[in-house]
Amino acid sequence: MNPTQIKTKHKHYTNYTYPYALQEYSDFKNYEKKYNYRLKNNVYYIIRFDGKEMTKDYKIKKQAINVPFFNTMKETFLQFCSHKPNIIFAYSFSDEISILIRGDENEDSDHLRIEKILSLYASELSLKFYVNAKKFNLKLKQDSLFDARIIEIEDEMILKYFTARQAFAIIKYLSRLKTQYQINQQFKSSKVIIRELRNKNIYYNQLPKEYRYGFYYSAKDKIIDSFEFKRNIKRLKELMISIKKEESSI
């Protein structure tokens, strides 16, 4: 008779214990391990978080910026990054956040498990967004959640990644300005849209930098700042070098 079975006059009853539960589940542990990927030591990764339908939900008709939503995202970004010592650099615009991290074999094992990192970080962002929405009087449209994806990235591709994400930010904001100021929707390039804005006495370079370029966070300075990466690639490169030097000295 199975030791976990207790015989009575009419039936066998299972005697539940923790070792019994472990034994019963043991076959499935191998299935879990199949996708239990871990961060590699000294390898860089970027995790990108995207808000679920937030662009649509928090868009205000004929307004380029929903200020309560912008402030909610900015505060959420700062709170999240400033409490994560493994974030080297981060960038955000609209409902998107990208963070740069590096695998470290000295970390606790749970901090190296990709499944845990993605699920816990996305959950934390969602919670912080909800709390900050209340703070900035942002009316929540539905469950405001973030999804997460991760890529392994070579050192020399890091700058290109962030300039590419910022390119989306720039054209997205310009497209919204185009709608707000009733500029011909057929105009697609930044140069033409900026020219048309100027014809309406809207001077693009005088608009808030954070609206135009999004904002970044660096582990070195622990502040939010904003500038155009592509035009100031040397500045971005120097910033990255100084961040990595500081990180390696810790």
Side-chain angles (χ1 to χ4, degrees), residues 126-213:
S126 301
L127 178 59
K128 289 184 183 299
F129 181 89
Y130 179 82
V131 172
N132 287 317
K134 300 290 185 183
K135 177 179 177 181
F136 291 105
N137 298 313
L138 175 67
K139 186 176 180 181
L140 296 170
K141 304 287 185 179
Q142 58 175 330
D143 293 337
S144 297
L145 305 172
F146 289 87
D147 64 32
R149 68 211 69 182
I150 188 168
I151 60 171
E152 182 179 319
I153 192 164
E154 296 174 357
D155 196 354
E156 61 270 20
M157 295 298 290
I158 292 172
L159 293 181
K160 185 172 183 180
Y161 173 88
F162 286 107
T163 57
R165 296 318 302 171
Q166 192 183 66
F168 285 109
I170 291 169
I171 198 60
K172 192 171 190 176
Y173 179 54
L174 283 168
S175 296
R176 290 176 175 176
L177 287 171
K178 187 170 61 174
T179 300
Q180 179 173 342
Y181 294 104
Q182 299 179 343
I183 292 170
N184 192 325
Q185 293 296 318
Q186 292 184 343
F187 296 147
K188 303 297 183 183
S189 77
S190 59
K191 288 182 180 179
V192 173
I193 298 170
I194 291 170
R195 182 196 67 201
E196 293 300 311
L197 285 168
R198 189 167 58 246
N199 290 340
K200 292 176 176 283
N201 295 319
I202 306 298
Y203 297 96
Y204 178 72
N205 289 333
Q206 294 178 8
L207 297 172
K209 288 191 301 180
E210 292 178 340
Y211 292 175
R212 289 182 282 147
Y213 305 130

Side-chain angles (χ1 to χ4, degrees), residues 9-37:
K9 185 175 181 181
H10 302 290
K11 297 179 181 179
H12 288 80
Y13 287 96
T14 301
N15 183 28
Y16 291 99
T17 64
Y18 188 69
Y20 166 73
L22 286 175
Q23 181 183 336
E24 286 292 290
Y25 194 73
S26 60
D27 291 339
F28 300 98
K29 271 295 182 182
N30 292 327
Y31 297 152
E32 288 184 1
K33 290 176 182 177
K34 183 177 180 181
Y35 297 103
N36 189 19
Y37 300 117

